[in-house]
Amino acid sequence: MTDSTLSTRYDPKQVEQKWYTRWEQNGLFAPRGEGEPYCITIPPPNVTGSLHMGHALCYSVQDVLGRWMRMQGRQVLILPGMDHAGIATHKVVEAQLKTEGLNRFDMGREAFVERVWQWKEESGGTILRQFKRLGFAFDWSRERFTMDAAYHDAVLDVFIDWFQRGLIYRGKRVVNWDPGLRTSVSDIEMHDEVRHGKLYHVRYPFEDGSGSITIATTRPETMLADVAVAVNPKDARYVGLVGKKVILPLVRCAIPLIADEYPDPEFGTGAVKITPAHDPNDFLVGQRMGLDFNDPKQVPVCIGEDGRIHFPGSPYDGLDRFEARKRIVADLEAEGYLEKVEDYDIPLKISDRSGQVIEPLLSEQWFCSMHSLAAPAIEAVRSKKIKFTPERYSDVYLRWMEDIRDWCLSRQLWWGHRIPIYYDDECKPIAAKSEADAMAIAGGPVTQDPDVLDTWFSSALWPFATLGWPEKTDDLAKFYPSNVLVTARDIIYLWVARMIMDGLDRVDEIPFHDVYIYATVLTEDGKRMSKSLGTGLDPLEYIDSFGADAMRFALLIQTGHNQEIRFGEKRIEEARNFCNKIWNASRFALMHLNGEAPSKIAPERLEDKWILSRMSFCGATVEAALREYNMMEACKALLDFFWSEFCDWYIELAKHRLESGEAAPRAIIRNILDRFCKWAHPFMPHITEEIWHMLPGVDPDAFLDYSDWPVGGERDESAESEMARNQEIVRAIRSLRQDAGITPKQTLPLLFASGDNFDAEIVRSQTWFGNIDRSTPEGASVGTVAEGVEFKLPLAGLIDKGKELARLDREEEKISRDLDSTLRRLNNPEFTHRAKPEVVQRDRQTAADLQEKLAKLAERRDQIKALP
RNA sequence: GGGCGAAUAGCUCAGUUGGCAGAGCGCCUCCCUUACAAGGAGGAUGUCGGGGGUUCAAGUCCCUCUUCGCCCACCA
């Protein structure tokens, strides 16, 4: 019995390493066979560092699905890769440079990009190691990066196509400018924040000397670029004044007082200064005024890309925008223009990328017109061609899509896909795949646009560019559309929506059938996990101390259709304990299997039939849960079955049968371990592979991923209910023993039973009695009634009369309460008439049982009282 | 302002079509019973956030309110 030498504690470290190496060496992760293809192109993590808990969950779910499908004979491709993550990576490397006293502008574009590639190798390597430690069976041979040469080609292809179709256009707009990173960012790359500030009331005198009009502003520094003052045409206070000119204080030039719908008469003074270059709303007013945004005289810009005042000749030139505000306010006050200052909570846009206050800034950018791309993508979700799980997210998606805005594509960065636009000597843009192509078209020298594309432009092609598109590859034909996208809810707009639009537009087919949005992993006390807050947890640390299987299971058992999960060390300890339980139960089983692999399962006793039925139920539950992407339910089914049913009952019942050499429990236990290993394998791949291979009869060269997925579902209802009765009885008698102060170790010779509607062997062995006698004991005894059978144990001399009576009281009280509520229902004719007959029948039975129990309790009370 | 989610045992959370409230952890008692003390047996614990309504019957369905989290929009 070599197996008994196995440690009583499961050691994940060596087991996990051993199997991962073997899986890789045997090429398990690439698609195999001729089964129906199943594909997931994993969300490529950013090469900005290392993976966190959210990643661990995200990819664990995908690994579960992949392994589950593989076991069902599908041809599975889980395609991994990483994202160059333009701004995010750019920022990481810029921060590194800063610590070295360098910056990208001194380095130059080429050297900087080279430096980022170095970082990409480093971060990518870390991430890959983490993936492998978590045990993911992804096809590393097909690993892709969003800046691979072929991928870049796909990006150019889409851009040029859309440019030629007029979907991509260049324009001067007020964009969200991040002065820290010196680039534009999109609408969805920033968040709102309210900060304490001031609302300044500034007097703008009329040119004709007839007094002044007062405007309210939170940003006096932008007045340098004011082009007008606007009032609402319905605002009675200003009727007749519109058309006058006002003098812009400090700048001392004349600007018009205009009427526009935009000012809200209720706010401030009802008069607004209009600065089209530094405010999106003012920009719209400027458009309505018919301004030429290319003419700096008509639309001046007073803040530069670095967030400093750019107003040559003024004393403010070169000042930081916040410093300039102070100076300008001071000057306005000194010159008597400042009417009043109020405290005011200013709603601001903060860049998600740098944390800087977004500066709305007029600049020339590339945009993508979204409406025509969105229409089919809306239809695909509305018609349920693409299904979201949980379903509520399809509404989130649709609402955003129906109100979609044009997308600012260009970023003033160096890390990313450079925009394939070349300008000829007349500054006419030409879209081309290379400089040579562009020159051929231009017939002369060209200059490439310096900007790069928003990183999501390339991410949007992920489901097909990774499969070789625009080439017509075998992979593309076989694996597109992929089956499911597993992702976080915060990138539904950024990524999911765009993949759907791109897929439908460029490949003419949805990119995936299902979208599963998993829960956000929070800390134990409900905080967002974040490195900067110090609340981030590193999965690798937990894997080191608890094992990858425990790590995965701990996350998966909390992941259903919920929106968030709280994760702490407690949860992973529980999962580790489960691994240990699996290990020890298997150890026990192996000690008794004697290396035999009994082929035929012959259920002989009630518990055999029961456990086989429960096993079947477990498999069916796991499968149904997986179909609905409900990891929690699947994990719970596995845990409950294995621990509470198989270990706590079946193994306990099987012990003495194994001792006496019975074949049936051996065969059944082996069968259960085999199936359990299979059903649990997607969730806990290493420990299940290890145990499965220890089972006698398992081909040492086989792997669970390519074994089979047993079908569950056949139930033996009568065995289940009969077993449940016996379990009830066992629990009642154990409780009785405990109450009587008898420890399990004290095996009592005799238990007396009043009937025989129970399985004597189950009850006797599980309540630790030598024998059961179907008569009434003489002398003092304690007893209990369970499932209509009365059990007594003789306790002459041991019984504490007072205690026993108190116990009977408690029991009686509880039964009476139950009986009362049941009778109340039954005595209500409305209930008996209207409720479903089976419900009424069940209640009648319950009432009868309770009454009988009560009678027996009364009888017992008399007996006890009669004792000396 | 609009939308989504959450509120159930001390904590973290399950609760499928309405039919007598569950698990894990924690707590109490007992047990190192030859697979496992990272374990076993037993036990205590609930105005299911508040208030209405529908129903014979509501944690579950409807209305409403409160608190928390998230998303979207707007704001001089």
Side-chain angles (χ1 to χ4, degrees), chain A residues 375-389:
Chain A
I378 289 170
E379 182 50 29
V381 170
R382 198 174 275 150
S383 67
K384 305 238 192 287
K385 247 185 108 180
I386 296 176
K387 277 177 61 189
F388 279 77
T389 302

Side-chain angles (χ1 to χ4, degrees), chain A residues 87 91 177-181 185 189-191 193 195 321-322 348-358:
Chain A
I87 296 182
K91 199 180 120 190
W177 188 264
D178 181 331
L181 293 160
V185 295
E189 288 173 300
M190 49 192 198
H191 61 272
E193 207 170 296
R195 292 192 186 164
R321 51 190 169 149
F322 299 109
L348 293 170
K349 298 285 183 196
I350 307 296
S351 169
D352 289 339
R353 302 304 182 175
S354 70
Q356 297 253 350
V357 176
I358 289 291

Side-chain angles (χ1 to χ4, degrees), chain A residues 225-231 242-246 254-263 272-277 279 281-293 297-300:
Chain A
D226 281 359
V227 302
V229 169
V231 294
V242 172
K244 284 195 173 203
K245 294 244 171 178
V246 297
I255 55 173
L257 176 65
I258 61 160
D260 192 276
E261 296 296 332
Y262 163 59
V272 190
K273 68 191 219 35
I274 299 299
T275 323
D279 184 287
N281 284 303
D282 293 6
F283 174 83
L284 297 174
V285 176
Q287 277 188 328
R288 290 194 282 270
M289 289 169 72
L291 299 176
D292 176 1
F293 288 87
K297 288 205 180 79
Q298 289 192 39
V299 184

Side-chain angles (χ1 to χ4, degrees), chain A residues 553 573-583 635 638-640 642-643 676 680 684 687:
Chain A
F553 198 78
E573 275 176 25
E574 290 165 34
R576 185 267 320 261
N577 293 353
F578 182 41
C579 289
N580 207 44
K581 189 74 179 177
I582 296 170
W583 181 253
C635 289
L638 288 165
L639 188 137
D640 286 346
F642 195 86
W643 202 318
F676 177 80
M684 298 187 284
I687 190 173

Side-chain angles (χ1 to χ4, degrees), chain A residues 53-196:
Chain A
M53 281 301 164
H55 290 117
L57 171 58
C58 172
Y59 301 116
S60 293
V61 169
Q62 292 169 81
D63 194 45
V64 167
L65 296 172
R67 289 179 185 270
W68 174 47
M69 287 295 162
R70 233 172 250 135
M71 292 177 76
Q72 293 182 78
R74 301 278 292 264
Q75 209 181 144
V76 172
L77 171 60
I78 311 292
L79 190 148
M82 295 177 209
D83 196 306
H84 70 280
I87 296 182
T89 313
H90 190 105
K91 199 180 120 190
V92 169
V93 175
E94 271 200 323
Q96 289 171 357
L97 291 176
K98 203 176 168 189
T99 65
E100 298 165 27
L102 299 169
N103 75 61
R104 66 166 161 133
F105 299 103
D106 296 341
M107 276 178 101
R109 185 165 190 150
E110 213 168 298
F112 178 79
V113 170
E114 181 52 38
R115 176 74 191 247
V116 185
W117 274 106
Q118 279 171 25
W119 164 253
K120 182 260 164 186
E121 292 306 320
E122 189 184 329
S123 171
T126 305
I127 291 169
L128 193 64
R129 278 193 299 279
Q130 287 180 302
F131 274 152
K132 292 184 176 182
R133 279 297 299 283
L134 277 155
F136 298 147
F138 299 163
D139 185 0
W140 307 114
S141 73
R142 283 179 172 79
E143 187 189 338
R144 300 300 301 269
F145 182 58
T146 53
M147 290 217 320
D148 288 346
Y151 201 104
H152 180 63
D153 236 40
V155 171
L156 300 189
D157 206 284
V158 175
F159 186 97
I160 293 167
D161 179 73
W162 285 359
F163 178 81
Q164 283 165 354
R165 283 158 58 193
L167 292 172
I168 289 178
Y169 61 93
R170 191 166 58 141
K172 268 206 162 174
R173 299 281 186 85
V174 169
V175 297
N176 310 299
W177 188 264
D178 181 331
L181 293 160
R182 294 205 205 177
T183 179
S184 57
V185 295
S186 72
D187 294 340
I188 39 187
E189 288 173 300
M190 49 192 198
H191 61 272
D192 297 319
E193 207 170 296
V194 173
R195 292 192 186 164
H196 295 301

Side-chain angles (χ1 to χ4, degrees), chain A residues 766-778:
Chain A
Q766 298 309 298
T767 56
W768 313 292
F769 281 93
N771 219 331
I772 293 182
D773 189 319
R774 284 159 216 274
S775 65
T776 303
E778 288 172 24

Side-chain angles (χ1 to χ4, degrees), chain A residues 338-350:
Chain A
L338 191 62
E339 190 175 295
K340 66 172 173 178
V341 180
E342 292 173 322
D343 283 328
Y344 187 69
D345 289 333
I346 308 176
L348 293 170
K349 298 285 183 196
I350 307 296

Side-chain angles (χ1 to χ4, degrees), chain A residues 29 119 136 146 165 295 334 363 485 538 623 724 735 765 797 868:
Chain A
F29 303 156
W119 164 253
F136 298 147
T146 53
R165 283 158 58 193
D295 180 356
S363 71
L485 170 75
D538 183 356
E623 173 145 359
S735 176
S765 67

